[in-house]
Each structure stands twice: as structure tokens, then as C-alpha cells.
Amino acid sequence: MIACTVYLLTAEASGSLWDCGEFVSCAYKLQVPHPPGAPLFVMIGRLFIIVFGDNPHTAAKAVNVMSAIVSGLTILFLFWTITHFAKKIVQKGSDTVDNPGIIAVVGAGTVGALAYTFSDSFWFSAVEGEVYALSSFFTAIVFWAILKWEHAVDNEAETGINADRWIIFIFFMIGLSIGVHLLNLLTIPALVMVYYYKRYKATKKGAVMAFIVGCLITGIIQKAVIQYTINWAGSFDIFFVNKLGLPFFSGFAAFFILLAVLIVYSLKWANKKQKGFLRLGIWAFTFILLGYSTYITTMIRSNADPAVDVFNVDNPLSLAGYLSREQYGDFPLLYGQKFTAEPIDYKETSNKYVKTKNRYAENGKDGHYVYDDDQMMLFPRVWDISNEQNHRDYYAQFLNIGKNPDGTYERDPDFADNIQFFLSYQTYWMYFRYFMWNFSGRQNDVQGMFPGNVRDGNWITGISFIDNLMYGDQSLMPDSSKNNKGHNKLFMLPFLLGIAGLVYQYKKSGKDGNVTLILFLSTGFAIVIYINQPGFQPRERDYAYVGSFYAFSIWIGLGVLQLKELFSKKLKSGVAASLAALVCLLAVPVLMAAQEWDDHDRSKKVLAKDLAKDYLESCAPNAILFTTADNDTYPLWYAQEVEGIRPDVRVMILTLLSTDWHINQMRYKINESAPIDVIWTPEQVQGRKRDYVRYKALSGLPESQYFDLYDLMKNYIGSDDESKMMPAGNNEMINTFPVHKVSVPVDVNLVKQNGTVSAKDSVVSEVRFDIPKDILMKNDLAVLNVIAANKWKRPIYFTSQFDELGFGRYLRKEGLAYRLVPVANSDINTDQMAYNLLNKFATGNANIPGVYFDETNRRQLMAIRGAYTELAFDLATKGRKEEAKKLLQKADKMMLEENFPYGHISSGNMHNRSSLAFLQACYLAGAKELVTKVSASVKTDLTQQMKFYNTLYGNKAASMVFEKNTTENLLSAMDEMEKMFTHSSQKIR
């Protein structure tokens, strides 16, 4: 009840950032989220939405409440788990527990469960509409259930009930959990250890074998049950459809009917031969499949072509790719390439099929790149050869590997480099740091990108001399860090109590200690190894390890028993138990709640919805809006699909346009958005067709001439004439393009009539631009096709100043979005942007005192404030200073400084850079009061940063060189700005 109350009180008021907008949208209309999907989460979320009245304005809150309630139930199962272990220790084989023992057991359960309640990472997931809360619930229930099995085994003779019914229940829960998240599978090794210790006479060799068996079962479920069953069912479907001429899904159904028959026959045989263990295994396999069957709903809904239909999972073959996260690529675990490797070959494996109108058609082959042996290594941790997300550069920077002028690297990483990255980055920075956030303390909420960065996102103890040794004098840290709501001091008390509990459990019950340790390692360290993270993560990833923190909370609870034992040496047993429980309760969960409430309370925050509204309201009616990333896409889906905000705008995701299914979605109406002409037929983009095209010069074409983009896309790149193609190896031909200079004709009367331009704009007769690439990917082609085929009929916008294809100078800002216009170098549509910012924009309740915005939220607020800044610049330079002043004052009132200060630490000082631009706009507009306010805040933060940096030495100073230099530059810029404006009365007037 305490946990549920806490989570309900602090749950986010609306949709949240990151994937939450997508999941709430999918729950509201039973749609298909990104791979590998979460059909059970979607269905349960839908039920909660119905309970809340099926109201679009309460849908997000309903899903948030679902997370809060299942998180509260997770705490309940944790309480029962801790009391189970504690009772075994206190009971010592007797049938009853005396009153002091009861106090100790319940005290242990309470302290451990409430410590996890208020832990940083779990609390974060418990108050938003994401899968991790429900996933944690399944982790808790299956681990609790194996302990119920353990207890039931002792009573089998008395009750006459087979305890193995709990095993079947566990595997059904595991099957269901697959429809939420795969993390639950990692509990299996610990479950097998409990089974081994109870059913067999334990030996060291036997325990090792049991652990290996547990890992094998996990792998079998991950591969055979989750992937191979669907792959085999897909192969059946190909045979039934292509060879027998039967409908789609006939082979899929036949496979599972055959599998059901096989299960029934196997059960009869096992019963007849009295093979109890085999029978148990068959039933476990059966119930995993029953739970796993929630994925049938994914295919059903995908066939209905909903607005959110990621991967278009409308057949068994696409379901197989969906479950294996095919669109994200593969990564090596035990043996693979170094990040500096270059492929020498491509090895084809199995045939690739796609669904057409009435059959499955072959579409190339699956395969993988081949590398030289000297470019391979065991246990590859620095493996990603792609630099699309700067992973290669991060590896090189981390390992001090320089880059040559031609883009190659000065040397290859060796195995020592590999292990250094594994230990320093993957293990310490991306796991242990998060672990200590939860049980020791957190420096601030600024994302740290490198180990050794002593200013951002470190774990702390709250004990000055320890923290000062690790990170420099923390008393000199800027106020924006010390007063940051994410600055939490736990004084290592949860950590120390957990270590005491770990030691105590091993001392009193080594077998149970092994079980808890395996749960701790398999949901923590094993994930570190498995996900093999490269650098430059877009966000902190602590939510992935909450299962490990759950296990540690068991030890926190058992630490109460250790303290009770110490107190018993001086006090009566009952007093010792009560005092131990009270001391631990105050020192751990109460302290954690007091420190962390302010940075976990989201009860008034609605930024994700308002951000989406700001993007959508920046667009003219019936617009096409190209987005680039999670936080300018998922909130838009939520706003449109759930709250019905601007359903006329078509949201297209640039990264997903590299797939045929997302391009094909443009062909049909979604909500109130009409279909879009993409020039090519579905067959022309099917599967891997036109995944990329290469530049191939064509003789006779003048270099200075611009060629019609529509003609180029339709009749040249869209042609299958081999004279317009080139060999790509493996007996394949790929399409080419012969020119970089392209043009889009402009109907001047049309663009003036439909509002694309205003009467005073200098409209060009054709938009000319140079494509700056020699290789165009499918998503590039999709954007060019839309622009060419649109012929200025519908407004086209981008959420960023997109210039990857050469037409950036024709983009004009009208709010948060940039509109493609036939006007060169016109950066802002002044009047339209002013109307949008003054009448349509909102800032997620940043104007209400006490609302907390973490770093991700602050970045979005910076984008909104940046729009006001740009428009104020534009107005002021056009002599409209009074309008600029009012605009800046409005921006200031929309974002209280206590919620979103002008001066604040951030990576690369981007926050202060943004505020300095705002300050300069204030100077230009003559907003004197704002000048004083903004200048004081920014200068204070920059000065405090410099004071801190100047006290650092050695490696600590080296880690802050870049931040120190940017701070010095910004302080100098502030001085110059002040001299330029303040000391010149003419300027300020």
C-alpha cells in the first residue's frame, strides 16, 4: 500500500518522453510498437484505459497508473521473498517462530522492500507508461513462485499436492513476460539453482552443472522457443502458400496444430513410461507457448494497418524478423570484428522472403560480412564498425587511438584495449555507476558520457572526504549541481546494509546466498556482457538493470537480521529486533524517500504532450512532417493517436524510411491525413530493392545543368533498365543516379495561393540544389520522392534544419519545425512563427512552481526557448524591438527559473550557450530587466564552474579540459557582449 500510494502520487500527469508516447499510443488503439514488441503490455494497458473511461485525455494517466500498481505489486512480492529467506534463517528448522523472530522477519521484509520502493531506477520506471515496470513485476512473481514451490515441496506428503504445479505456473508467467520484455528470462538460472538445492544432494560440481543447465534453458527459450518456433512456422507457411496454393497463415496454423499433437502424444508417452521429469519439461514448454501466444494479436492488429505499425508484422515471416530485432542488426558476443575492421566479403546464408499479394517472393539472401582473421578477436567489446552514431569515434577517443587525415585510425585496438573498454566503460560506467546511484548516492542528473568525467552523473557517497578524493572538492561544484534535485546523498547506507545482508545470508544459508547471487549477477553483470554496449548512448540506461537492484534489495532486508544479531549481544531479543528494524528503516528507506522524492515526482509535468503539440502546431494544415529521433517522434504519435491533436499532419520518421513498410504506409490514409505519392510502386521498394543507389557519371551530361528531380527519380533511379544500373557483387545489380544537380519546378501562383509563401517573398521559379552524396540510402530516396511528387501541393516540414540532401537553404522556420519553401536563404517566417509562439505554444507546466525537469526534459525546453530566441533576434534586427521584448518576456514567464534556470551545467555547456543566445536577444530587444536576470544566472554558473575546474589536478583536470575551455570562451563572450551593449547607450536604445 505504501509503494502503490507513493507511485500513484508521483506518477506523470500525462505521457512521458522516450518510448512512453509510442506505448501509450499502441495501448490506446491496440497498435504495434517497435521490435520486439510488447503485446501483453499493450493489451493490459488497453484494459486500464477502458477502466479510466476510454477517454483520450486520461489514457496516458491510465497506463502510468498501471505501471504504478504493478510496481506496487512488485514490492509486495519482494517483501514476501525477503520474509521467506529471513524466516528460514530465524526459524532454524523449528516449526514456529517466536515474537522477536516475527518482528525481525517482518522488519527485514519491510526495510528491503521499501528500500527498493525508493530506489532511483525502479521509481523512475514505476511512474511512467513503459514496459519496465510490468517486466519487473514478472521478475518478482516468478522468483517468489519458485520460493513457494520450495515451501510446497516440504508439505507434499501432508497435502498430497504435487508442488511442481508451481513450476508450470512459473513457465506460464515466463511465457507471458515475453509479451512484455525479455529481461524476465534472466531469472531462470536462479530458479534452476533453487530446484537443484531442493531436489538433489548438493555438491560443488552439481551446483556448477545446475547453473550451466539454467543458462542452457535460458538460451533454449531465447532461441528455440521464441525464435525457432516462429521461423519453422514461417517455413511451413511458405510451403503451404507457395507450393500448395493455400491462404496465408495456413502453414502457420498447421505447424502449431502439429506441435500440439506432438505435445499430446509426448505427454501420453511420458505418463505411460513414468518419465516424470520429461512430463514436467513438456508441460513447462507448453505453458511457455501458451503465454507467448500473445504475439498472435500483433499479427492480427498489423493486418488492420493501424497508424503505428512498426515493421508491418502481418505475416509469420515478418514476425520472425520482428522478434529477432532484425532492423537493428546483429552484434558479436564471443568472437567478432574490431571496430577498425573493414569487410573483405559478404557471405550469404538463407533465402530472404517477403509477402506479396498472393505468395511469398524471394528477395535476396540473409548473410553477414566477412573480415580478415587478424581483424577478429575473442570476446569483442569494441566491435561496431559503423560510425553512424559516432560509435567508432567514441572507441577511438576512449582508447586514445588517433585518426588519420583519410578517416582511418592510427592503429587497431588490441585485446588489452578491448578489456579496458569492457571494465572501464561497460562494467563500471554503464553498470556499477548505476548500481551505486541507487544504493550510495547520485551527483546530479546530467548525463555523463565518459568515465573520469568528474562533474556529470557520477555516483557519490555524500561523505565529503570520499567524494572529494574521487571527483575533486564537491563543495566548489556549481550550485546547478549541488542544488540539482537529482543530487541525492545516501551516505552508502543502503549499500553497506546490503553488503551486511549478503555476508549474513551466506553465513547462515550458503545455498540461498548462491541463489540470490545468481539472480543478482544474471540480471546485472550478464546483461552487461550480453548487450555489449558501444559508447555515445543517447540516454542513461540504468532501467535495464533493475532486476539486479531487486536482488540486492533482498540483501538490504536481510541486513536487518545481521544488525539484530549484533544488538542481541547487549539487549533482549525482542528489543534488539525492534531496534534493528527501526534503525534500518530510518537509515535506509526513509532517507532514500526524503532524498529522492523531489526528483521522482512527475505529478504536474506534461512536457511530452506540450512538446508534441508545439511541433504539430508549427505546421500548416495537411502537412507532411519528417522527424529524426525518439523525442520528436513518439510524443507526436501520442498527441495524434491518443489526444487527437492535429491528426491532419502526416508524421514520417527519417530513419524508418529505410524500410519498405514505412514507405508503403504513406500510400494509405492515416487519421485525417490523405495518402502521399511516393512515385515508385510497392514492388520497386520491396524488401532490399533500392536500399541504396550509387552515383555513376553519364557521359554527355553537362556538369552545370540542373535536372528535374521527378524525372530523375521516376525514370532513371526508378528504372530497371540494366544500362542504368551497375554491378554490386554476388551477381546483383543496383540502381544508379547520374547527376548531383537537381531542380524542383515551382508553380508561383500555386505556392502563393496555398500559403506556401507570402506575397512579399521572392519566389524562385525552380528550387535548385546539389545532392552532396555519392550514395543515397532508401530513406534519402524516399524524402526526394516525396518532395518531387508533391509539387508544392502539401506543406513539407522537418523537425531539424535538415541539410543532408542539399536543400537546407530552402528551409524556413515557422515554430519548432522547418518548412520547405521556394525561397532561398529565408531563415524565419516572421509573422507565422510569431503567431504560433504567441498563441499555440506550451511548456509542460514549467510555469508552475516546483515542477522538476531532468536533463532530457531541459533539452526539450531549450529547444522551445531557442525558438523564442531566434524569433526575437529576427524581430529585433527588423526593427520590431517592442514585439521582440514582449516575446522574450512571455518565454521567461512560461519557464520559471526555479524549474529551468538560465545558468546550468551541461555537456559542452550547451545549456549556457542557449541562454547566452537568449541574453543576446534580450540586449537587442532592449529588455533590460531580463538582461540583468539572465546575465546574473549564467555568469554565476560559469564562474562557479571555473572555480571548480581550477581546483582540479592530474587526470581530474584532464577530464575537464574541454568543459573548462568552453566555460572560459563563454565568459569571454559574455564580457564582450556586455561591453558591446551595456557601454553603448546608442546600441541599447
Side-chain angles (χ1 to χ4, degrees):
M1 291 301 296
I2 292 171
C4 280
T5 301
V6 167
Y7 297 147
L8 290 170
L9 287 174
T10 58
E12 188 142 358
S14 182
S16 307
L17 293 173
W18 299 112
D19 300 351
C20 300
E22 177 194 27
F23 282 121
V24 175
S25 302
C26 290
Y28 186 64
K29 292 184 178 178
L30 291 182
Q31 302 185 100
V32 183
H34 66 272
L40 184 63
F41 175 93
V42 167
M43 287 189 283
I44 296 175
R46 177 66 187 147
L47 288 176
F48 271 81
I49 289 170
I50 293 170
V51 169
F52 271 63
D54 205 5
N55 185 331
H57 300 299
T58 60
K61 187 70 174 182
V63 180
N64 295 346
V65 166
M66 178 192 77
S67 291
I69 290 174
V70 297
S71 296
L73 291 173
T74 301
I75 300 303
L76 175 63
F77 286 114
L78 175 57
F79 173 82
W80 282 336
T81 297
I82 296 170
T83 54
H84 172 89
F85 285 131
K87 183 182 176 184
K88 285 175 69 176
I89 293 171
V90 170
Q91 200 167 3
K92 297 176 183 175
S94 65
D95 294 331
T96 60
V97 180
D98 59 14
N99 285 337
I102 291 173
I103 294 171
V105 169
V106 173
T110 302
V111 170
L114 288 180
Y116 192 58
T117 298
F118 298 114
S119 63
D120 183 49
S121 300
F122 184 69
W123 195 346
F124 184 90
S125 297
V127 295
E128 65 177 16
E130 246 274 28
V131 296
Y132 295 102
L134 190 56
S135 174
S136 294
F137 166 77
F138 279 105
T139 297
I141 198 171
V142 300
F143 193 71
W144 166 82
I146 196 66
L147 302 181
K148 292 294 288 183
W149 168 86
E150 183 185 39
H151 180 72
V153 168
D154 294 332
N155 299 311
E156 277 183 321
E158 181 181 336
T159 62
I161 297 174
N162 189 340
D164 286 349
R165 60 175 55 195
W166 283 102
I167 302 293
I168 306 304
F169 171 77
I170 285 167
F171 278 92
F172 182 52
M173 291 296 104
I174 290 173
L176 285 173
S177 76
I178 296 169
V180 178
H181 199 279
L182 298 180
L183 284 175
N184 191 245
L185 298 181
L186 298 173
T187 61
I188 292 173
L191 306 183
V192 171
M193 293 304 297
V194 174
Y195 188 92
Y196 168 74
Y197 284 134
K198 197 66 182 177
R199 289 294 196 195
Y200 299 92
K201 184 177 180 180
T203 64
K204 288 183 178 181
K205 181 179 178 181
V208 171
M209 291 301 298
F211 173 72
I212 293 172
V213 168
C215 294
L216 288 174
I217 292 173
T218 304
I220 289 169
I221 294 174
Q222 166 73 8
K223 286 293 184 182
V225 177
I226 296 177
Q227 294 184 26
Y228 292 167
T229 55
I230 302 301
N231 288 339
W232 293 331
S235 297
F236 267 61
D237 215 48
I238 292 172
F239 177 77
F240 275 60
V241 173
N242 287 8
K243 300 295 185 183
L244 303 182
L246 293 173
F248 291 112
F249 291 100
S250 56
F252 181 82
F255 172 81
F256 281 103
I257 291 170
L258 181 64
L259 185 60
V261 171
L262 182 62
I263 287 170
V264 171
Y265 175 80
S266 300
L267 281 172
K268 286 183 177 180
W269 185 86
N271 280 327
K272 182 178 180 181
K273 298 295 184 180
Q274 296 185 334
K275 304 285 186 180
F277 202 78
L278 176 61
R279 185 175 63 224
L280 178 64
I282 294 169
W283 276 119
F285 171 73
T286 302
F287 272 83
I288 280 186
L289 284 181
L290 287 172
Y292 181 35
S293 66
T294 57
Y295 272 95
I296 295 293
T297 65
T298 300
M299 290 192 291
I300 292 171
R301 292 301 297 145
S302 185
N303 271 280
D305 290 334
V308 180
D309 185 17
V310 181
F311 210 80
N312 191 31
V313 196
D314 62 353
N315 67 85
L317 298 184
S318 59
L319 179 62
Y322 184 71
L323 290 165
S324 63
R325 298 165 57 91
E326 183 180 278
Q327 76 181 57
Y328 300 122
D330 200 4
F331 55 91
L333 287 179
L334 300 179
Y335 187 70
Q337 72 280 354
K338 304 172 182 179
F339 77 89
T340 52
E342 296 293 338
I344 59 172
D345 196 7
Y346 185 82
K347 185 177 181 180
E348 294 180 340
T349 52
S350 57
N351 289 330
K352 186 82 175 171
Y353 290 87
V354 294
K355 180 186 174 188
T356 60
K357 289 182 180 179
N358 51 17
R359 69 190 312 273
Y360 291 108
E362 286 191 30
N363 190 65
K365 293 179 180 290
D366 279 324
H368 57 84
Y369 289 113
V370 177
Y371 304 88
D372 275 330
D373 289 342
D374 63 354
Q375 294 295 307
M376 304 288 281
M377 66 166 62
L378 289 171
F379 193 60
R381 301 292 100 183
V382 286
W383 57 273
D384 191 354
I385 65 169
S386 165
N387 209 29
E388 184 179 333
Q389 298 177 339
N390 298 313
H391 291 164
R392 295 180 84 181
D393 287 347
Y394 186 91
Y395 293 139
Q397 186 178 357
F398 190 95
L399 300 172
N400 292 317
I401 297 176
K403 208 169 186 180
N404 297 315
D406 62 356
T408 60
Y409 296 94
E410 291 179 353
R411 65 178 180 87
D412 292 338
D414 56 26
F415 195 69
D417 293 321
N418 190 55
I419 296 301
Q420 180 190 344
F421 188 80
F422 170 63
L423 295 176
S424 299
Y425 180 76
Q426 293 182 334
T427 303
Y428 174 78
W429 194 245
M430 297 302 287
Y431 172 70
F432 184 75
R433 177 172 62 107
Y434 297 148
F435 173 80
M436 295 301 278
W437 277 5
N438 286 270
F439 303 117
S440 178
R442 184 174 179 177
Q443 188 180 34
N444 51 50
D445 65 10
V446 180
Q447 182 176 357
M449 300 303 294
F450 277 98
N453 176 338
V454 297
R455 192 199 66 183
D456 300 336
N458 293 284
W459 67 272
I460 60 171
T461 64
I463 302 168
S464 296
F465 79 90
I466 297 176
D467 296 338
N468 293 347
L469 282 173
M470 292 192 293
Y471 312 120
D473 190 345
Q474 295 296 283
S475 68
L476 297 177
M477 280 283 279
D479 291 340
S480 58
S481 177
K482 290 188 293 187
N483 299 332
N484 184 283
K485 290 183 178 181
H487 179 68
N488 298 318
K489 297 178 180 180
L490 304 180
F491 307 106
M492 295 189 78
L493 293 175
F495 174 75
L496 294 173
L497 188 60
I499 295 299
L502 183 160
V503 173
Y504 187 76
Q505 188 179 33
Y506 263 98
K507 184 171 67 175
K508 297 294 184 179
S509 178
K511 293 178 181 178
D512 286 344
N514 284 338
V515 168
T516 311
L517 180 65
I518 289 171
L519 178 66
F520 175 74
L521 294 176
S522 62
T523 54
F525 191 66
I527 295 176
V528 173
I529 294 174
Y530 178 73
I531 62 178
N532 200 0
Q533 282 181 336
F536 279 136
Q537 293 297 312
R539 63 182 292 195
E540 301 284 19
R541 300 293 193 184
D542 54 304
Y543 54 81
Y545 305 107
V546 290
S548 177
F549 309 153
Y550 180 94
F552 191 79
S553 296
I554 296 173
W555 288 322
I556 289 177
L558 296 180
V560 175
L561 300 185
Q562 174 70 82
L563 196 61
K564 180 251 183 187
E565 191 170 287
L566 291 175
F567 287 167
S568 294
K569 295 177 181 179
K570 299 290 185 180
L571 302 169
K572 291 181 179 180
S573 184
V575 175
S578 300
L579 185 61
L582 180 61
V583 168
C584 292
L585 189 68
L586 294 174
V588 178
V590 171
L591 172 66
M592 294 171 76
Q595 285 287 308
E596 299 185 25
W597 188 286
D598 57 358
D599 55 306
H600 290 87
D601 182 6
R602 306 196 215 169
S603 58
K604 296 178 182 177
K605 187 167 65 180
V606 291
L607 180 60
K609 181 192 78 172
D610 283 357
L611 177 71
K613 182 173 178 288
D614 294 347
Y615 272 115
L616 293 169
E617 293 292 6
S618 298
C619 300
N622 203 31
I624 299 167
L625 176 61
F626 289 99
T627 68
T628 56
D630 291 359
N631 283 330
D632 65 0
T633 300
Y634 296 150
L636 271 63
W637 279 353
Y638 164 75
Q640 288 188 312
E641 298 301 307
V642 180
E643 300 216 8
I645 299 171
R646 295 297 306 275
D648 59 302
V649 177
R650 178 64 67 97
V651 175
M652 303 306 304
I653 308 162
L654 285 166
T655 51
L656 296 185
L657 284 171
S658 60
T659 63
D660 56 358
W661 57 264
H662 195 46
I663 294 173
N664 290 333
Q665 281 183 325
M666 289 194 272
R667 303 179 194 277
Y668 53 82
K669 180 180 179 181
I670 291 179
N671 298 319
E672 296 175 14
S673 172
I676 299 170
D677 184 359
V678 293
I679 298 180
W680 297 331
T681 65
E683 289 72 27
Q684 287 178 293
V685 295
Q686 182 176 288
R688 295 178 177 174
K689 291 180 182 177
R690 294 175 177 82
D691 269 357
Y692 69 98
V693 300
R694 286 186 176 273
Y695 172 72
K696 180 185 176 185
L698 200 61
S699 60
L701 291 179
E703 291 185 7
S704 60
Q705 184 177 339
Y706 284 84
F707 292 85
D708 183 75
L709 180 62
Y710 187 91
D711 183 45
L712 172 71
M713 304 309 291
K714 182 174 180 62
N715 299 318
Y716 201 97
I717 300 177
S719 171
D720 289 327
D721 182 346
E722 291 199 357
S723 67
K724 299 175 182 178
M725 305 172 79
M726 65 186 296
N730 299 315
N731 298 318
E732 290 186 8
M733 300 289 286
I734 63 166
N735 298 85
T736 65
F737 65 102
V739 295
H740 287 101
K741 294 181 180 296
V742 295
S743 65
V744 180
V746 178
D747 183 334
V748 178
N749 291 328
L750 175 65
V751 296
K752 287 184 177 180
Q753 186 180 39
N754 64 19
T756 302
V757 299
S758 65
K760 60 185 178 182
D761 281 324
S762 299
V763 182
V764 296
S765 59
E766 61 179 10
V767 167
R768 293 182 169 187
F769 58 96
D770 290 12
I771 298 172
K773 301 180 178 183
D774 287 336
I775 298 177
L776 293 174
M777 307 305 291
K778 184 176 278 185
N779 54 348
D780 297 325
L781 300 172
V783 173
L784 293 173
N785 274 6
V786 170
I787 291 172
N790 184 55
K791 302 184 187 299
W792 307 102
K793 295 172 187 173
R794 294 176 67 169
I796 295 177
Y797 289 85
F798 295 81
T799 57
S800 63
Q801 206 160 4
F802 185 82
D803 197 25
E804 292 183 21
L805 295 175
F807 52 75
R809 68 194 186 103
Y810 294 101
L811 293 180
R812 183 160 69 180
K813 201 165 189 179
E814 294 187 355
L816 285 185
Y818 298 81
R819 184 173 184 170
L820 183 67
V821 293
V823 182
N825 304 314
S826 175
D827 297 332
I828 289 176
N829 186 339
T830 306
D831 293 333
Q832 183 61 50
M833 188 166 174
Y835 178 80
N836 290 337
L837 267 59
L838 289 170
N839 298 287
K840 297 181 178 181
F841 269 39
T843 54
N845 286 345
N847 59 323
I848 296 176
V851 181
Y852 168 62
F853 297 93
D854 64 16
E855 186 189 31
T856 302
N857 287 267
R858 292 196 298 271
R859 287 197 205 109
Q860 311 312 318
L861 288 174
M862 266 196 286
I864 297 172
R865 183 183 278 168
Y868 284 86
T869 302
E870 289 179 68
L871 180 58
F873 263 109
D874 185 65
L875 288 167
T877 54
K878 290 176 179 176
R880 299 162 64 177
K881 292 192 176 184
E882 193 59 35
E883 292 177 69
K885 183 178 177 180
K886 289 180 180 178
L887 187 79
L888 294 167
Q889 289 169 341
K890 178 179 173 64
D892 179 65
K893 290 176 182 177
M894 291 172 73
M895 307 176 204
L896 295 183
E897 191 171 7
E898 65 177 271
N899 295 334
F900 184 54
Y902 289 102
H904 203 290
I905 59 170
S906 63
S907 179
N909 258 312
M910 293 308 298
H911 189 111
N912 286 328
R913 289 174 191 267
S914 173
S915 295
L916 281 186
F918 187 85
L919 174 62
Q920 190 173 359
C922 293
Y923 273 123
L924 284 170
K928 295 181 181 180
E929 290 182 4
L930 276 179
V931 165
T932 303
K933 180 179 180 179
V934 177
S935 180
S937 178
V938 177
K939 181 162 276 189
T940 297
D941 187 70
L942 292 172
T943 304
Q944 289 176 348
Q945 284 192 52
M946 283 304 303
K947 188 175 181 181
F948 173 67
Y949 302 145
N950 288 333
T951 64
L952 300 176
Y953 56 90
N955 292 333
K956 296 184 184 70
S959 73
M960 289 284 99
V961 167
F962 175 71
E963 299 293 352
K964 183 179 179 181
N965 289 340
T966 61
T967 304
E968 286 177 335
N969 292 337
L970 292 181
L971 279 169
S972 177
M974 282 196 75
D975 291 338
E976 290 298 320
M977 197 185 302
E978 189 174 355
K979 290 175 185 176
M980 181 185 298
F981 290 100
T982 307
H983 297 166
S984 171
S985 58
Q986 186 177 359
K987 283 278 187 183
I988 197 66
R989 279 201 299 271

